[in-house]
Amino acid sequence: MDTRRALLAALESGPVSGPALADEIGVSRTAVRRAVEGLREEGFAIEATDDGYVAPGDPAYCAAGIEFGLDAPYAVEYHGSLPSTNDRARALAADGDADVAVVADAQTGGRGRSDREWVAPSGGVWVSVLTSPSVPPARAPLFTLTAAVAVADACREVGVEATIKWPNDVLVERSDGGDGDERGDRPGFVDRPARGGRKLAGILTEMEGEADRVSWLVVGIGVNANLDPETLPAGATSLRTERGEDVDRRRFLARLLEAYAELAADPDAVLPAWRERTSTLGRRVRVETPGGTVVGTAVDVEQPGTLVVDTGEGRTRVHAGDCEHLRDADVR
Ligand code: BT5
């Protein structure tokens, strides 16, 4: 373990004496002092007291702040602004890195699926988790569903009743059954109505693989956290809007990463957990797929994340596509 990580770990259980830590991990006292300075520069405001170094009571949203107390196997890389955390994670993958969570306060070139724009101003939770799981590439879609479950749970823990829309959206359902677009059209943004709910979060999974094994997998997660609707596309919502107050992004992201890591390690648990949290199953849906439009009732989800739609003429299995929840009046 490097000095920075050893220091962060030691700070979890109370004050740390610099010389004692230096002896314990076998580095110089200067190395410990440098690690303290480095963490402070990152924004993790370590205090020096008579008992030794003490962690800040309310750590900032920064790499060390997120890593502090994190029970998930990722190093955190934090940026104030990036074009896209997915692009940064892909660059790390090309260098052979893995098990990194790339976080940015803002993204200037955030991406959705099919090169759509993802609006990502300062105040959201924008993160890409880079791993190298020992699974065949065909299993990759399951990680999107895994992330959706983790996002829904993290949102519910802060009091927002989020549900999952197949495959990659996390929504807040509207009680009045409206389509979430009453704030009017916004040129450039409104390419898909958020019918059946307001979009709180989206997931973009990218990977590279050989025939039998994924080389790298990047799961990009965007959650509209402390943002106002005016800064988001029509049909979107945020944790701030739903709760009426801000979330602690540091805690929220830590819970999200922990939930994701835990479920990713237990693939058999993903589909049952997903079924419990989705608003797609049992609904009339229209799915735009590469092979055409499928309309019917969504009846199940199967490995590795395939949606089963009952079209009235049989069951169709959809592997990828854009899904819209329909109201009965929409079904033609
Ligand atoms: C997604 O695509 O929902 C995937 C979004 C993934 C974003 C994360 S943030 C961290 C990481 N780095 C990245 O660059 N990306 C990932 P899709 O299903 O294609 O939905 C895209 C559509 O959602 C857009 O065309 C807009 O209509 C809408 N949209 C854009 N920004 C939004 C926002 N902040 N909140 C809600 N909806 C949004």
Side-chain angles (χ1 to χ4, degrees), residues 197-269:
R198 292 182 179 184
K199 186 158 170 171
L200 180 63
I203 296 156
L204 174 66
T205 301
E206 298 179 299
M207 60 132 207
E208 196 169 87
E210 323 242 308
D212 57 342
R213 195 179 181 284
V214 165
S215 320
W216 55 258
L217 177 87
V218 171
V219 176
I221 303 171
V223 185
N224 299 327
N226 300 333
L227 295 171
D228 292 322
E230 299 75 51
T231 61
L232 295 170
T237 190
S238 68
L239 292 174
R240 175 190 278 170
T241 307
E242 300 298 327
R243 304 171 81 235
E245 61 178 343
D246 282 355
V247 282
D248 180 335
R249 282 190 294 169
R250 188 187 75 84
R251 277 181 215 279
F252 177 83
L253 176 55
R255 282 302 300 135
L256 173 57
L257 293 173
E258 286 165 0
Y260 177 75
E262 198 181 325
L263 196 54
D266 187 9
D268 291 342

Side-chain angles (χ1 to χ4, degrees), residues 90-153:
R90 291 175 67 134
L92 291 173
D95 287 345
D97 277 339
D99 302 318
V100 183
V102 178
V103 181
D105 176 41
Q107 295 180 116
T108 52
R111 294 187 285 114
R113 295 177 304 156
S114 312
D115 275 332
R116 286 187 279 243
E117 181 192 6
W118 182 257
V119 177
S122 166
V125 168
W126 322 125
V127 58
S128 296
V129 183
L130 166 64
T131 56
S132 179
S134 309
V135 298
R139 299 278 288 201
L142 196 64
F143 289 91
T144 301
L145 276 67
T146 303
V149 170
V151 171
D153 282 357

